[in-house]
Amino acid sequence: MKTTVEERRINVGGLTIRYFTAGNDDDPPLVLLHGDGESALDWSWVLPILAATHRVYAPDLPGAGDSSKPDVVYSPEFYTQFVAGFLNAFGLRRAVLVGNSIGGLVALRFALSYSEAVTALVLVDSSGLGYLVSPFLSQLTLPWYGEAAIAWSKTPLGAKQRAWSRALLLFAHPTRVPAAWLAEQVRMAQMPGFLEATLSALRAELNLFGQYKVLLDSLPQLQMPTLVMWGTRDQILPKEQAEDAVKRLKQGQLALIPDCGHLPHVERPGLFAAVLIQFLDKIAY
């Protein structure tokens, strides 16, 4: 039977949040958090598969997709409190958290602060596990440089150029990028407030020299099962960060996705879902 994915909206802390959901209400909850400059659409290639065994929720984070874009500092702290509010809005006392890129950093921060609410943690090419990051991103933290990039990327031609530039950076095989992903990038770039929120989140996480919100020393505190999943050809964050992180986890597992970039759930959804399901099958809910 074909899984129905529903697009809905909910109020969280006064913000209108778009989210996608699928699965049975009686199944364990699974929350998917996308990366900076992305949207919940990223999960659409794996969400129906995961919904066979879980009630899945994939929100557009504030500032992204079709969610509200308030004029705030989009810091990891802000996003962490949003996740707390999102779970509370559904009455979810415990859930599996899956986070990609900055979504991974947010999931990790939430797990460290609210461990009793996290059944298991999955960090997908996650920020916060090492200082090194692609200079293509860190240079955007320079004064005025990011603002100039925003001004150009809001134009129709600039939005298309930005989408293809991101594809070259985020995927091992840019020519195979789904057309729907590229269209979403072009659409969002021209939405008021989206690029400003993206840049704010980037600057709250990075400086010119790399990441400064690194939580490696906190990893031994995690008690829940944790899967670290990484594309072997990630140009944003090197796979060595994953290998270092998993050594510090009490219940850590490492899964390297071969011939894949920063978004394995988009680039290799079948393998991503298979690895994640294998991990989830061993969780005691």
Side-chain angles (χ1 to χ4, degrees):
M1 186 174 73
K2 186 176 180 180
T3 300
T4 300
V5 177
E6 297 181 74
E7 178 181 343
R8 300 179 182 175
R9 280 158 177 77
I10 191 171
N11 184 288
V12 179
L15 302 177
T16 300
I17 301 299
R18 180 185 74 161
Y19 68 100
F20 297 100
T21 188
N24 297 319
D25 289 336
D26 294 335
D27 287 335
L30 176 65
V31 177
L32 307 172
L33 305 174
H34 64 77
D36 193 27
E38 300 295 311
S39 77
L41 179 82
D42 280 12
W43 303 108
S44 60
W45 289 272
V46 299
L47 199 156
I49 304 172
L50 301 177
T53 54
H54 288 74
R55 181 65 179 183
V56 186
Y57 303 86
D60 284 333
L61 295 175
D66 289 320
S67 288
S68 295
K69 300 170 180 62
D71 184 13
V72 299
V73 175
Y74 287 86
S75 65
E77 294 82 3
F78 169 77
Y79 285 129
T80 303
Q81 290 307 306
F82 162 75
V83 172
F86 185 78
L87 295 183
N88 185 62
F90 291 99
L92 301 178
R93 297 180 61 185
R94 285 171 62 82
V96 176
L97 292 187
V98 180
N100 170 236
S101 198
I102 196 173
L105 173 60
V106 173
L108 175 55
R109 288 178 58 90
F110 184 86
L112 289 167
S113 298
Y114 305 95
S115 60
E116 71 286 349
V118 181
T119 308
L121 179 65
V122 182
L123 305 175
V124 184
D125 296 76
S126 175
S127 304
L129 301 179
Y131 293 98
L132 190 62
V133 68
S134 169
F136 289 101
L137 291 183
S138 57
Q139 67 183 355
L140 289 170
T141 65
L142 289 170
W144 305 112
Y145 184 85
E147 284 74 11
I150 284 177
W152 165 245
S153 296
K154 283 181 179 237
T155 68
L157 181 60
K160 291 180 180 179
Q161 184 185 66
R162 174 186 176 275
W164 276 108
S165 296
R166 285 179 64 81
L168 290 170
L169 191 61
L170 297 176
F171 294 91
H173 297 279
T175 57
R176 303 178 194 170
V177 173
W181 184 89
L182 286 169
E184 176 77 341
Q185 289 291 317
V186 172
R187 181 182 80 93
M188 289 193 299
Q190 299 174 84
M191 296 176 70
F194 168 72
L195 292 175
E196 289 82 357
T198 299
L199 182 60
S200 175
L202 198 67
R203 286 175 170 170
E205 181 190 355
L206 309 177
N207 57 30
L208 186 59
F209 305 102
Q211 300 183 75
Y212 54 83
K213 301 280 185 179
V214 176
L215 300 176
L216 281 174
D217 291 342
S218 300
L219 295 182
Q221 300 176 28
L222 296 175
Q223 303 296 321
M224 72 287 296
T226 302
L227 173 65
V228 181
M229 197 184 311
W230 223 269
T232 59
R233 294 179 59 188
D234 190 335
Q235 299 180 73
I236 303 291
L237 304 169
K239 65 180 177 63
E240 288 75 19
Q241 292 182 4
E243 294 166 341
D244 186 16
V246 79
K247 296 174 184 176
R248 302 167 186 251
L249 293 164
K250 291 183 177 179
Q251 295 194 65
Q253 298 181 40
L254 176 64
L256 296 177
I257 307 299
D259 198 27
C260 183
H262 192 64
L263 305 177
H265 44 302
V266 180
E267 188 163 16
R268 302 203 64 183
L271 181 55
F272 174 91
V275 170
L276 180 53
I277 289 170
Q278 185 179 41
F279 170 73
L280 294 174
D281 282 345
K282 300 175 183 178
I283 302 301
Y285 292 98

